[in-house]
Amino acid sequence: MKKIPQRKCVGCHQMFDKSVLLRVFKDKSGQGRSAYICNSASCIEQARKTKGIERSLKQAISIDLYENLFKNMLGG
């Protein structure tokens, strides 16, 4: 039986299987630093309020990123 990697959501701070979380990259290549977040509006909003993604990526984040996360959550 293969072990499934676990990651912590930057919004609710709970551990989930890596495959069920959304991954936010620091750069467009998909390499290096990244953050994981649940696919729920409450977690995205909590991460925006507490600047969880900014802290994880060690970089300022634009409002457009949060809008894109909400669109992705809604399936758009």
Side-chain angles (χ1 to χ4, degrees), residues 1 4-5 8 18 20-21 25 27 31 33 35 38 42 45 48 51-53 57 61 69-70 72:
M1 187 101 195
I4 299 172
K8 186 184 281 192
K18 182 179 173 182
V20 299
L21 296 172
F25 299 105
D27 60 5
Q31 300 291 324
R33 191 167 290 279
C38 294
S42 61
E45 186 62 27
R48 185 187 66 78
K51 298 185 178 186
I53 296 176
L57 299 180
I61 300 298
L69 286 172
F70 277 115
N72 189 20

Side-chain angles (χ1 to χ4, degrees), residues 16-71:
F16 293 99
D17 291 345
K18 182 179 173 182
S19 61
V20 299
L21 296 172
L22 298 174
R23 186 175 180 195
V24 180
F25 299 105
K26 185 172 183 176
D27 60 5
K28 295 183 189 241
S29 69
Q31 300 291 324
R33 191 167 290 279
S34 62
Y36 291 86
I37 190 162
C38 294
N39 197 13
S40 71
S42 61
C43 283
I44 296 170
E45 186 62 27
Q46 186 66 24
R48 185 187 66 78
K49 286 181 182 177
T50 62
K51 298 185 178 186
I53 296 176
E54 291 183 18
R55 250 191 338 272
S56 293
L57 299 180
K58 297 181 180 179
Q59 171 178 333
I61 300 298
S62 69
I63 299 298
D64 296 336
L65 175 80
Y66 294 105
E67 291 174 3
N68 288 337
L69 286 172
F70 277 115
K71 286 179 188 175

